[in-house]
Amino acid sequence: MPKAKIHNFVGSIGALIGTFVFIAYIPQIMANLAGDKGQPWQPLVAAFSCLLWVIYGFTNTPKRDYILITPNLAGVVLGTITFITSL
C-alpha cells in the first residue's frame, strides 16, 4: 500500500475515534440538563485545545487539514456545550 494511502487511512480512523471521544460528552450534557451537574473545567480546557487545532487545520498550507479539523470541531462544539450546561 502506498505511503499516502496509509497516511489517509490512519488519519481517517484517528479522526473517527477522536470524534467519538467528544461524542462521549453527550451523556454528561444530558445529566447536566437533568440537574446532575458535572465539573466544568475539563470540557472547557478540551474545547479551547480543540479550537487551537481547528485554527491550525484551517490555516495549514497548501491545503486545509480536514482530518484534523473534523474531530476537533466536534470537540469545540460538544466541549463548549458540556461546559455551559454544567454551570
Side-chain angles (χ1 to χ4, degrees):
M1 188 182 292
K3 189 175 180 179
K5 282 191 176 191
I6 294 171
H7 179 79
N8 284 335
F9 179 73
V10 171
S12 296
I13 289 177
L16 181 65
I17 292 169
T19 301
F20 282 125
V21 166
F22 297 113
I23 287 173
Y25 278 141
I26 292 173
Q28 184 59 52
I29 293 168
M30 294 168 61
N32 290 342
L33 292 172
D36 187 19
K37 306 285 186 180
Q39 62 82 25
W41 305 115
Q42 189 279 335
L44 177 64
V45 172
F48 181 71
S49 172
C50 289
L51 178 62
L52 295 177
W53 283 113
V54 168
I55 293 168
Y56 177 86
F58 268 117
T59 58
N60 190 44
T61 54
K63 64 179 188 169
R64 293 179 176 155
D65 189 346
Y66 288 103
I67 287 178
L68 187 64
I69 294 167
T70 302
N72 286 292
L73 190 57
V76 170
V77 172
L78 292 170
T80 301
I81 291 170
T82 305
F83 171 73
I84 291 169
T85 60
S86 68
L87 297 177

